[in-house]
Amino acid sequence: MKVLIVKYSNQSVGYLRQDKSGRMSFQYDQQWITKGFAVSISLPLQEEIFPEEKCRPFFEGLLPEGIIRDEIARNLGISARSDFALLREIGGDCAGALSIGSSKEEFSKGSKVLLEGQILIEALSSLKGKPLLAGEKDVRLSIAGAQRKLPVIYENGEFFIPHGDLPTTFIIKPEIAGIEGSVDNELYCLALARKIKLPISDFDGLQLPELIKTDGDVAAVRRKYLLIKRYDRKKENGQIVRLHQEDLCQATGVSSENKYQKDGGPSFKDLFFIIRKHSSQPAWDVRNVIRIALFNYIIGNADAHGKNFSFLLKKDSVTLAPFYDLLSTEVYPNLSSKMAMKIGGKYNPEDIFRRHWHKFAEENSIGSKLIDKEIDYVSKMVWKWHERVARQLFWHEQLYPKIIHDIIKLIEKKLELLKRE
Ligand SMILES: Nc1ncnc2c1ncn2[C@@H]1O[C@H](COP(=O)(O)OP(=O)(O)O)[C@@H](O)[C@H]1O
Ligand SMILES: [Mg+2]
């Protein structure tokens, strides 16, 4: 039997075990049961062991997905199919407050390495072949998602990589290969969301050089990156501490392979159900989910699946986390325009009109007055700000990247569709 320790700061939360046949299980620590809290809505505090089918969605949900996961496993010489081995290798700094490792020593040390000048550029350039820098000595970073990114410590304009057990404080997201202008796109959508008063973490756009190899030569090009402040970290007495979070897939016990509703993943019904049952500010969270659902529809973000909604979990409260991963996907003809979650029985945004929003409200026990009010609010605010935000970010229409023109056009089309009964 192999064992990993699951820690919250310096306390043991529980033990992740793998038996001889490779099956994983989780059990809370006795002391944590008396003093702590459930680290997932899908893993209530109990003495009994959670078998693999119960605990896998939460723990697998801490790991990167798709080819990123495969590349990391290849670089580390472990099986891409083993959640346990991946958590052992990279589960030091995850989304939320938990840290996973194989021995007590792994948790005790902690230092940070300055990424300066050429070293920063090399680190960013190496994300292509070495995701999350996994394989570098003492680097144990994990973050969900199918895209390349780098969690870092960012202080006074300098970037650091933690070695050992130090929390990262920001996430750097580079351009997504094959999705032109993804950084400008996300920057614009986040800025627009903030203008309409949706809860969003602080963020910024960065321009940094990246090294590219061409025919044996190395050249440097300037690239755009998105820098996002982690809402699951905060400063306490001069020290950065981790706050706990889990995403909607983890909360509903669905593994990341099934994150889309059509594959059995969470729906808006599940999201509202969890808020009403667990949130300590249900009315506020319900209203913000209605707003983000409308906002995602208007900007054409079809990828708002169960791993793109999260909850902040504390001992005595559960609240919806700020929104993230806001990207207009519908403007790319090569991406599926099917929505990750149904709205009023429809997946295809072209088929969604005002009456489907009323059906969405009815299905989710939202009053028709409230949905009308929110449709009105979000439409008016997006209309008011969509051009202005573009100007604030890119100065002049003539300087807008092509993708921004496309998103603006799409927004205007959607605002028209929303008026149709
Ligand atoms: N601002 C943030 N603070 C804390 N965690 C975040 C933040 N933004 C994203 N995350 C976490 O990182 C994961 C990946 O980020 P996301 O932007 O969704 O990337 P991807 O495009 O790869 O899906 C999310 O599922 C969430 O758990
Ligand atoms: Mg995501």
Side-chain angles (χ1 to χ4, degrees):
M1 181 86 78
K2 295 177 187 163
V3 187
L4 295 176
I5 306 167
V6 179
K7 287 233 176 185
Y8 183 112
S9 186
N10 54 6
Q11 300 167 66
S12 292
V13 169
Y15 307 92
L16 203 56
R17 300 192 179 95
Q18 189 184 41
D19 67 16
K20 282 210 177 87
S21 66
R23 290 187 73 75
M24 200 162 74
S25 65
F26 173 71
Q27 188 174 26
Y28 279 114
D29 182 287
Q30 198 58 45
Q31 275 214 327
W32 183 262
I33 293 176
T34 54
K35 286 195 283 188
F37 59 93
V39 294
S40 170
I41 289 168
S42 68
L43 298 172
L45 279 182
Q46 63 178 44
E47 285 180 14
E48 292 77 29
I49 295 172
F50 293 96
E52 177 157 300
E53 58 275 21
K54 285 270 183 234
C55 71
R56 181 173 181 262
F58 177 78
F59 288 101
E60 171 276 336
L62 299 172
L63 293 166
E65 300 153 52
I67 51 165
I68 308 286
R69 180 179 159 124
D70 295 346
E71 277 177 30
I72 290 176
R74 205 167 48 228
N75 292 346
L76 295 172
I78 56 177
S79 161
R81 291 175 57 191
S82 173
D83 303 312
F84 189 88
L86 278 159
L87 288 164
R88 182 187 65 218
E89 296 302 322
I90 66 168
D93 184 64
C94 304
L98 304 187
S99 204
I100 299 170
S102 53
S103 66
K104 288 224 160 62
E105 299 85 83
E106 228 165 69
F107 294 100
S108 53
K109 51 188 179 188
S111 60
K112 56 189 186 191
V113 172
L114 178 63
L115 294 180
E116 204 177 17
Q118 209 167 333
I119 301 174
L120 171 64
I121 293 154
E122 279 169 12
L124 292 173
S125 311
S126 75
L127 284 182
K128 277 200 187 111
K130 205 194 265 184
L132 296 171
L133 304 182
E136 297 222 347
K137 195 173 176 301
D138 290 335
V139 176
R140 297 182 66 244
L141 306 171
S142 185
I143 191 114
Q147 307 307 333
R148 287 171 206 280
K149 58 184 88 62
L150 184 63
V152 290
I153 296 170
Y154 179 58
E155 283 167 1
N156 307 320
E158 289 186 311
F159 296 95
F160 302 84
I161 288 292
H163 282 200
D165 188 31
L166 273 187
T168 56
T169 54
F170 281 76
I171 301 169
I172 300 179
K173 291 182 82 172
E175 285 275 340
I176 305 171
I179 303 193
E180 217 188 306
S182 67
V183 170
D184 286 330
N185 183 333
E186 192 164 352
L187 206 58
Y188 172 79
C189 295
L190 287 170
L192 187 57
R194 175 180 286 168
K195 280 288 182 218
I196 79 164
K197 298 192 169 56
L198 286 166
I200 302 290
S201 278
D202 280 348
F203 61 90
D204 207 353
L206 294 178
Q207 281 254 15
L208 294 166
E210 186 193 327
L211 302 177
I212 48 167
K213 288 197 183 104
T214 46
D215 304 330
D217 272 350
V218 178
V221 286
R222 288 186 87 77
R223 291 257 197 249
K224 287 185 174 169
Y225 295 86
L226 187 70
L227 179 67
I228 303 183
K229 190 172 184 185
R230 295 190 69 139
Y231 57 73
D232 57 348
R233 305 292 185 251
K234 80 165 186 206
K235 216 169 194 166
E236 219 174 66
N237 306 323
Q239 296 263 344
I240 300 290
V241 296
R242 297 186 173 101
L243 303 176
H244 193 49
Q245 70 162 329
E246 69 169 335
D247 63 48
L248 179 60
C249 282
Q250 292 174 303
T252 50
V254 172
S255 33
S256 62
E257 308 91 82
N258 302 324
K259 63 190 177 189
Y260 293 100
Q261 184 181 350
K262 67 169 171 31
D263 300 323
S267 61
F268 276 111
K269 212 172 191 162
D270 299 312
L271 181 49
F272 286 118
F273 178 82
I274 291 203
I275 290 172
R276 290 190 178 116
K277 184 156 182 218
H278 298 275
S279 170
S280 31
Q281 46 181 43
W284 179 261
D285 288 348
V286 163
R287 194 203 69 181
N288 281 337
V289 170
I290 300 173
R291 287 187 179 178
I292 194 75
L294 283 159
F295 181 78
N296 281 333
Y297 162 79
I298 294 170
I299 63 165
N301 175 12
D303 208 35
H305 48 65
K307 294 199 77 68
N308 282 336
F309 291 96
S310 287
F311 300 96
L312 283 163
L313 272 57
K314 296 191 183 138
K315 193 174 159 76
D316 47 12
S317 73
V318 174
T319 50
L320 190 69
F323 299 118
Y324 53 88
D325 209 2
L326 304 182
L327 192 80
S328 173
T329 56
E330 234 184 291
V331 286
Y332 300 101
N334 54 329
L335 297 184
S336 162
S337 61
K338 200 169 169 178
M339 313 272 282
M341 293 182 190
K342 273 189 198 175
I343 304 282
K346 300 281 178 191
Y347 278 123
N348 182 356
E350 306 257 316
D351 296 340
I352 300 171
F353 310 122
R354 208 178 171 96
R355 69 173 183 278
H356 299 101
W357 285 100
H358 277 269
K359 188 161 174 233
F360 161 89
E362 221 177 277
E363 285 165 357
N364 294 299
S365 312
I366 295 160
S368 65
K369 269 203 190 117
L370 178 59
I371 194 73
D372 278 333
K373 194 171 127 199
E374 295 307 334
I375 293 174
D376 202 44
Y377 171 81
V378 177
S379 314
K380 279 196 179 131
M381 289 291 269
V382 171
W383 179 253
K384 176 175 170 191
W385 286 105
H386 75 302
E387 280 275 9
R388 269 188 241 185
V389 165
R391 274 201 300 277
Q392 285 170 4
L393 287 175
F394 306 102
W395 296 92
H396 193 281
E397 214 176 314
Q398 308 241 312
L399 293 170
Y400 295 179
K402 177 185 175 295
I403 204 70
I404 300 301
H405 287 290
D406 294 348
I407 300 173
I408 289 176
K409 232 190 283 165
L410 180 75
I411 285 176
E412 294 177 355
K413 184 180 117 185
K414 287 295 190 54
L415 289 176
E416 280 308 309
L417 277 190
L418 249 185
K419 288 182 195 153
R420 292 231 309 248
E421 270 307 319

